[in-house]
Amino acid sequence: MKSLTVLSGKGGTGKTTLTANLAVLAQNLVVADCDVDAPNLHLLLEGEILAQDIYQGAKLAVKDEDLCIDCGICRELCNFRAINSDNQINPIKCEGCGLCVAKCPVNALKLELQDTGKLFHSIIQIGSMIHAKLKIGAENSGKLVSRVKEEAQKVAKKRNKELVLVDGSPGIGCPVIASLNGADAVLLVTEPTKSGLADLKRVLEVVDHFNILPLLVINKYDLNQDLALEMEAFCKENEISLVGKIPFADTIVKAMEQGELVVDYAPDSEVARAIREIWVQTKEKLSILL
């Protein structure tokens, strides 16, 4: 079983759209949507939720009013100003550091786990998908990403699947790092813009740090062919495999307007052929990994 994580370094490059189309082509897999802050892969790979669990990823300070003597020590110590003049705790501001709990002279405070999101197991047309949704403003999304990946790995092993396909979140933060854990290869989706190239170089530093095989896709490459050529030269210079280039086409938008993926909606289109070639090249790279 192999694990492939799809990243972009920035939002809006077409990462999730490509992931959904690759999932349909791959077939024998489990899909994991690790963009838990703004998940949308389930909109492209429609399915039925079989099970869901409450995720508790943060602790907040809770006060026992019967024990509290209103000494104000907690308020004075709190660096996050989470305790007001009435010695009441603001759950939005509380970071769960536990200092107030440790210093309370009458043990009126304690840390309690909070519900910060939900974890879903869905059945889609091509198999299983594990995805999650973090509550608005909730923290520790990296931990929830790890849970999503763990569940996806369990399902894949149980059902003898060949691949876990992970749709990561944009950027280079904790959720991205968590989505890289255990990955055999990373498929990086970029676009021919200055910001696209800059963010590509940035996310490559993270991938290289974890010694994971990078593969590159240039989406909408024909919008700026000079920059696309610059990206290709960058790949050759840094020994990064360019597994495909996708042309700009409104066919993808038209497919999504109909609730379909472009490889099904217009299988003979140039963009669909490009995506199929990307999967062929990616599968080949995965197959040669030890």
Side-chain angles (χ1 to χ4, degrees), residues 124-141:
I124 56 180
Q125 185 177 2
I126 54 175
S128 297
M129 179 168 69
I130 310 299
H131 51 119
K133 174 63 176 175
L134 199 68
K135 280 188 176 180
I136 296 174
E139 294 186 356
N140 292 325
S141 58

PDB file of all heavy atoms in Angstrom, residues 124-141:
ATOM      1  N   ILE A 124     -18.158   6.484  -0.970  1.00  0.00           N
ATOM      2  CA  ILE A 124     -18.312   7.155  -2.247  1.00  0.00           C
ATOM      3  C   ILE A 124     -18.338   6.107  -3.351  1.00  0.00           C
ATOM      4  O   ILE A 124     -18.144   4.918  -3.091  1.00  0.00           O
ATOM      5  CB  ILE A 124     -17.180   8.180  -2.479  1.00  0.00           C
ATOM      6  CG1 ILE A 124     -15.805   7.507  -2.369  1.00  0.00           C
ATOM      7  CG2 ILE A 124     -17.280   9.326  -1.504  1.00  0.00           C
ATOM      8  CD1 ILE A 124     -14.628   8.436  -2.589  1.00  0.00           C
ATOM      9  N   GLN A 125     -18.561   6.539  -4.562  1.00  0.00           N
ATOM     10  CA  GLN A 125     -18.734   5.594  -5.671  1.00  0.00           C
ATOM     11  C   GLN A 125     -17.526   4.679  -5.865  1.00  0.00           C
ATOM     12  O   GLN A 125     -17.668   3.519  -6.253  1.00  0.00           O
ATOM     13  CB  GLN A 125     -18.998   6.369  -6.969  1.00  0.00           C
ATOM     14  CG  GLN A 125     -19.317   5.466  -8.164  1.00  0.00           C
ATOM     15  CD  GLN A 125     -19.653   6.273  -9.403  1.00  0.00           C
ATOM     16  OE1 GLN A 125     -19.613   7.493  -9.387  1.00  0.00           O
ATOM     17  NE2 GLN A 125     -19.975   5.587 -10.483  1.00  0.00           N
ATOM     18  N   ILE A 126     -16.324   5.205  -5.566  1.00  0.00           N
ATOM     19  CA  ILE A 126     -15.110   4.424  -5.800  1.00  0.00           C
ATOM     20  C   ILE A 126     -14.571   3.770  -4.530  1.00  0.00           C
ATOM     21  O   ILE A 126     -13.493   3.177  -4.551  1.00  0.00           O
ATOM     22  CB  ILE A 126     -14.009   5.305  -6.414  1.00  0.00           C
ATOM     23  CG1 ILE A 126     -13.783   6.539  -5.544  1.00  0.00           C
ATOM     24  CG2 ILE A 126     -14.370   5.697  -7.833  1.00  0.00           C
ATOM     25  CD1 ILE A 126     -12.647   7.406  -5.983  1.00  0.00           C
ATOM     26  N   GLY A 127     -15.281   3.883  -3.420  1.00  0.00           N
ATOM     27  CA  GLY A 127     -14.800   3.253  -2.188  1.00  0.00           C
ATOM     28  C   GLY A 127     -15.089   4.074  -0.949  1.00  0.00           C
ATOM     29  O   GLY A 127     -16.213   4.530  -0.736  1.00  0.00           O
ATOM     30  N   SER A 128     -14.051   4.276  -0.145  1.00  0.00           N
ATOM     31  CA  SER A 128     -14.211   4.966   1.136  1.00  0.00           C
ATOM     32  C   SER A 128     -13.502   6.319   1.135  1.00  0.00           C
ATOM     33  O   SER A 128     -12.470   6.491   0.486  1.00  0.00           O
ATOM     34  CB  SER A 128     -13.641   4.108   2.271  1.00  0.00           C
ATOM     35  OG  SER A 128     -14.347   2.898   2.409  1.00  0.00           O
ATOM     36  N   MET A 129     -14.065   7.250   1.888  1.00  0.00           N
ATOM     37  CA  MET A 129     -13.421   8.537   2.094  1.00  0.00           C
ATOM     38  C   MET A 129     -13.505   8.909   3.566  1.00  0.00           C
ATOM     39  O   MET A 129     -14.573   8.833   4.178  1.00  0.00           O
ATOM     40  CB  MET A 129     -14.058   9.634   1.248  1.00  0.00           C
ATOM     41  CG  MET A 129     -13.397  11.005   1.467  1.00  0.00           C
ATOM     42  SD  MET A 129     -13.892  12.258   0.252  1.00  0.00           S
ATOM     43  CE  MET A 129     -15.599  12.512   0.706  1.00  0.00           C
ATOM     44  N   ILE A 130     -12.361   9.296   4.117  1.00  0.00           N
ATOM     45  CA  ILE A 130     -12.302   9.788   5.489  1.00  0.00           C
ATOM     46  C   ILE A 130     -12.096  11.298   5.423  1.00  0.00           C
ATOM     47  O   ILE A 130     -11.187  11.783   4.749  1.00  0.00           O
ATOM     48  CB  ILE A 130     -11.144   9.137   6.283  1.00  0.00           C
ATOM     49  CG1 ILE A 130     -11.176   7.608   6.123  1.00  0.00           C
ATOM     50  CG2 ILE A 130     -11.222   9.537   7.744  1.00  0.00           C
ATOM     51  CD1 ILE A 130     -12.426   6.953   6.639  1.00  0.00           C
ATOM     52  N   HIS A 131     -12.950  12.029   6.100  1.00  0.00           N
ATOM     53  CA  HIS A 131     -12.833  13.483   6.083  1.00  0.00           C
ATOM     54  C   HIS A 131     -13.298  14.038   7.422  1.00  0.00           C
ATOM     55  O   HIS A 131     -13.848  13.320   8.260  1.00  0.00           O
ATOM     56  CB  HIS A 131     -13.624  14.088   4.921  1.00  0.00           C
ATOM     57  CG  HIS A 131     -15.050  13.631   4.823  1.00  0.00           C
ATOM     58  ND1 HIS A 131     -16.120  14.485   4.907  1.00  0.00           N
ATOM     59  CD2 HIS A 131     -15.593  12.403   4.631  1.00  0.00           C
ATOM     60  CE1 HIS A 131     -17.244  13.813   4.762  1.00  0.00           C
ATOM     61  NE2 HIS A 131     -16.947  12.545   4.600  1.00  0.00           N
ATOM     62  N   ALA A 132     -13.043  15.319   7.633  1.00  0.00           N
ATOM     63  CA  ALA A 132     -13.345  15.919   8.927  1.00  0.00           C
ATOM     64  C   ALA A 132     -13.659  17.398   8.753  1.00  0.00           C
ATOM     65  O   ALA A 132     -13.360  17.997   7.719  1.00  0.00           O
ATOM     66  CB  ALA A 132     -12.177  15.740   9.889  1.00  0.00           C
ATOM     67  N   LYS A 133     -14.245  17.969   9.775  1.00  0.00           N
ATOM     68  CA  LYS A 133     -14.568  19.392   9.771  1.00  0.00           C
ATOM     69  C   LYS A 133     -14.255  19.974  11.143  1.00  0.00           C
ATOM     70  O   LYS A 133     -14.822  19.565  12.148  1.00  0.00           O
ATOM     71  CB  LYS A 133     -16.045  19.606   9.426  1.00  0.00           C
ATOM     72  CG  LYS A 133     -16.507  21.052   9.527  1.00  0.00           C
ATOM     73  CD  LYS A 133     -15.793  21.958   8.548  1.00  0.00           C
ATOM     74  CE  LYS A 133     -16.343  23.381   8.596  1.00  0.00           C
ATOM     75  NZ  LYS A 133     -15.577  24.313   7.730  1.00  0.00           N
ATOM     76  N   LEU A 134     -13.323  20.906  11.167  1.00  0.00           N
ATOM     77  CA  LEU A 134     -12.971  21.584  12.406  1.00  0.00           C
ATOM     78  C   LEU A 134     -13.967  22.701  12.666  1.00  0.00           C
ATOM     79  O   LEU A 134     -14.408  23.383  11.733  1.00  0.00           O
ATOM     80  CB  LEU A 134     -11.557  22.157  12.290  1.00  0.00           C
ATOM     81  CG  LEU A 134     -10.811  22.509  13.577  1.00  0.00           C
ATOM     82  CD1 LEU A 134     -10.478  21.250  14.357  1.00  0.00           C
ATOM     83  CD2 LEU A 134      -9.538  23.280  13.248  1.00  0.00           C
ATOM     84  N   LYS A 135     -14.334  22.905  13.915  1.00  0.00           N
ATOM     85  CA  LYS A 135     -15.239  23.994  14.243  1.00  0.00           C
ATOM     86  C   LYS A 135     -14.580  25.338  13.928  1.00  0.00           C
ATOM     87  O   LYS A 135     -13.360  25.477  14.002  1.00  0.00           O
ATOM     88  CB  LYS A 135     -15.608  23.947  15.734  1.00  0.00           C
ATOM     89  CG  LYS A 135     -16.676  22.935  16.077  1.00  0.00           C
ATOM     90  CD  LYS A 135     -17.119  23.101  17.518  1.00  0.00           C
ATOM     91  CE  LYS A 135     -18.269  22.164  17.857  1.00  0.00           C
ATOM     92  NZ  LYS A 135     -18.705  22.332  19.260  1.00  0.00           N
ATOM     93  N   ILE A 136     -15.394  26.314  13.593  1.00  0.00           N
ATOM     94  CA  ILE A 136     -14.883  27.650  13.284  1.00  0.00           C
ATOM     95  C   ILE A 136     -14.133  28.211  14.489  1.00  0.00           C
ATOM     96  O   ILE A 136     -14.653  28.234  15.607  1.00  0.00           O
ATOM     97  CB  ILE A 136     -16.034  28.596  12.894  1.00  0.00           C
ATOM     98  CG1 ILE A 136     -16.692  28.112  11.603  1.00  0.00           C
ATOM     99  CG2 ILE A 136     -15.531  30.031  12.725  1.00  0.00           C
ATOM    100  CD1 ILE A 136     -17.923  28.884  11.212  1.00  0.00           C
ATOM    101  N   GLY A 137     -12.893  28.624  14.259  1.00  0.00           N
ATOM    102  CA  GLY A 137     -12.082  29.194  15.332  1.00  0.00           C
ATOM    103  C   GLY A 137     -11.369  28.180  16.195  1.00  0.00           C
ATOM    104  O   GLY A 137     -10.574  28.550  17.053  1.00  0.00           O
ATOM    105  N   ALA A 138     -11.644  26.888  15.979  1.00  0.00           N
ATOM    106  CA  ALA A 138     -11.007  25.848  16.791  1.00  0.00           C
ATOM    107  C   ALA A 138      -9.552  25.657  16.379  1.00  0.00           C
ATOM    108  O   ALA A 138      -9.166  25.923  15.238  1.00  0.00           O
ATOM    109  CB  ALA A 138     -11.758  24.534  16.675  1.00  0.00           C
ATOM    110  N   GLU A 139      -8.736  25.197  17.324  1.00  0.00           N
ATOM    111  CA  GLU A 139      -7.321  25.007  17.056  1.00  0.00           C
ATOM    112  C   GLU A 139      -6.975  23.527  16.958  1.00  0.00           C
ATOM    113  O   GLU A 139      -7.831  22.669  16.996  1.00  0.00           O
ATOM    114  CB  GLU A 139      -6.486  25.675  18.153  1.00  0.00           C
ATOM    115  CG  GLU A 139      -6.631  27.199  18.163  1.00  0.00           C
ATOM    116  CD  GLU A 139      -5.690  27.836  19.149  1.00  0.00           C
ATOM    117  OE1 GLU A 139      -4.982  27.118  19.873  1.00  0.00           O
ATOM    118  OE2 GLU A 139      -5.662  29.080  19.197  1.00  0.00           O
ATOM    119  N   ASN A 140      -5.662  23.268  16.828  1.00  0.00           N
ATOM    120  CA  ASN A 140      -5.122  21.906  16.759  1.00  0.00           C
ATOM    121  C   ASN A 140      -5.609  21.151  15.523  1.00  0.00           C
ATOM    122  O   ASN A 140      -5.891  19.950  15.578  1.00  0.00           O
ATOM    123  CB  ASN A 140      -5.469  21.108  18.024  1.00  0.00           C
ATOM    124  CG  ASN A 140      -4.743  21.635  19.244  1.00  0.00           C
ATOM    125  OD1 ASN A 140      -3.605  22.085  19.149  1.00  0.00           O
ATOM    126  ND2 ASN A 140      -5.403  21.611  20.384  1.00  0.00           N
ATOM    127  N   SER A 141      -5.712  21.853  14.392  1.00  0.00           N
ATOM    128  CA  SER A 141      -6.141  21.173  13.168  1.00  0.00           C
ATOM    129  C   SER A 141      -5.127  20.129  12.728  1.00  0.00           C
ATOM    130  O   SER A 141      -5.471  19.165  12.057  1.00  0.00           O
ATOM    131  CB  SER A 141      -6.373  22.194  12.049  1.00  0.00           C
ATOM    132  OG  SER A 141      -5.205  22.951  11.800  1.00  0.00           O
TER     133      SER A 141
END
